[in-house]
Structure formats: structure tokens, C-alpha cells
Amino acid sequence: MHTERVTIEDAVFLTTLHLAGPIGLLALHGGVEGGTAELAREVAARTGATLLTFTQPEGPPTHIPSTRMAPCAPLTTFLTHTTLTISLHGHNRPTTPRTIYAGGSNRPAARVLATALADSSFTPITTLSDIPHPLRGLHPDNPVNQTRDGGVQLELPVQARTTHPVPTDPEIPPRKVVDGIVAGVRTLMEREGARW
């Protein structure tokens, strides 16, 4: 496990990188989208996936869009090492508080994760036209799409990221969501190396 401070657009981040398997769990906004870093850590620990989280240990939380997350050394290492990325994000759409959006460029992998999350008590959506445009994660500059096989951007509502909707420390991801993503990652690992 390697930690490193990086500065992106004047915001200071603490990155935590653990190189392991070819599938990577990424939490770019662990400092502002509560529970995403914790969820990524737990899934990576249970599956042997590679892990990279960004948190903000000091100052007011700053949300930098994924497409502007500069290719700092930890992110470059992560993207070089992994073949497929699962990027965890948070959404706060009041009209869809029980919906998980599965965007990103790897549509077959998105469907695998959605199927694995079907019993999580949340509704996974994979049809791109049903995903709000800002949550689709399709831009080529988005790190989720920059590994060999692209990736899946999971946009999770608050209650799918933490059992404490009011900010608290530590964040504890819901067990059914953790189990669902773990099952999906394991299925993807079994398929790793196959043509998508």
C-alpha cells in the first residue's frame, strides 16, 4: 500500500494505491462523495483487485470533474497496471434515491455489475439513454475509460454508499451493495483476458 500527496487544480489529495489484480477499483472523489473510498477499499480487499482512492485530508472538500483529474503519478500507475476500471461515484438525484447508474465505456461489464447488484435493494440502470447525461461516464478523458478494456462508472445514491446518510466518520457501506459489487468483480475477473 503506497500513499502519496498530490495537488490537482490547487486542491491537495491523499492518494492510496495498492497494486494487485488486473481489475481496478477507483474512487476519484473519496473526499466529497462519502462512502466511495470505503466501498472501493472493501471490494478490493475481498477480491484482490487493484485499488486507488483519492481523499482530501485538509481544507474544504473540492469536487474536480473526472475529466479534469490530471494524470498524476498514482493515477498513471493505476491505469498502466489495470486492464479494466470500476470507478465508484456518488449521485444525489432526489428523484432517484434508490437508483444505481452503471455508465462507462465497457457496456458488457456494466451489465455484469448491474446483474450482481440486482438483489441489493437498489435498482441498477445500464441503458445509456436512461442515465442522466452527466452521469454516463463516457468521455474519453475520464480515467474510467483509459484502461485497455475501458471501464464501468457506478454512480451510487447516498444510501448505497453509506449506512450513515448524515456525514460521519467512518463511512460504512451497506453490506448488500458491497456483496453485489464483490460478486460482479469476481465474475469480471473470471472473464479477464476474454474479448469483451
Side-chain angles (χ1 to χ4, degrees):
M1 196 82 69
H2 175 73
T3 59
E4 181 177 336
R5 284 180 180 263
V6 300
T7 301
I8 301 172
E9 297 187 9
D10 297 325
V12 176
F13 296 88
L14 181 65
T15 64
T16 301
L17 174 65
H18 177 70
L19 297 178
I23 291 179
L25 271 294
L26 178 64
L28 291 169
H29 302 127
V32 291
E33 296 173 352
T36 54
E38 292 79 3
L39 183 56
R41 278 196 292 270
E42 188 163 351
V43 173
R46 287 178 54 185
T47 60
T50 287
L51 171 71
L52 177 60
T53 63
F54 287 72
T55 56
Q56 296 179 53
E58 57 195 47
T62 302
H63 183 278
I64 298 174
S66 300
T67 55
R68 299 205 323 254
M69 292 296 280
C72 59
L75 183 56
T76 299
T77 300
F78 174 90
L79 294 173
T80 301
H81 179 80
T82 56
T83 59
L84 184 143
T85 298
I86 298 164
S87 189
L88 303 180
H89 297 260
H91 77 80
N92 292 306
R93 303 267 161 160
T95 57
T96 54
R98 307 293 301 177
T99 301
I100 296 173
Y101 296 109
S105 63
N106 192 315
R107 306 315 301 146
R111 289 187 285 275
V112 166
L113 286 165
T115 298
L117 283 162
D119 294 328
S120 68
S121 78
F122 294 88
T123 303
I125 301 292
T126 60
T127 303
L128 288 173
S129 60
D130 293 336
I131 300 175
H133 191 270
L135 307 183
R136 292 178 185 172
L138 296 176
H139 197 286
D141 291 342
N142 188 328
V144 73
N145 300 315
Q146 295 180 346
T147 44
R148 186 191 75 191
D149 295 327
V152 181
Q153 180 162 306
L154 287 181
E155 292 277 356
L156 302 136
V158 173
Q159 292 183 348
R161 293 182 266 132
T162 178
T163 54
H164 300 286
V166 176
T168 186
D169 186 22
E171 302 280 6
I172 302 173
R175 180 61 38 206
K176 284 189 174 182
V177 174
V178 174
D179 291 345
I181 298 175
V182 165
V185 169
R186 287 177 175 159
T187 298
L188 293 171
M189 285 181 164
E190 291 170 4
R191 298 184 183 184
E192 205 281 324
R195 293 186 65 84
W196 291 99

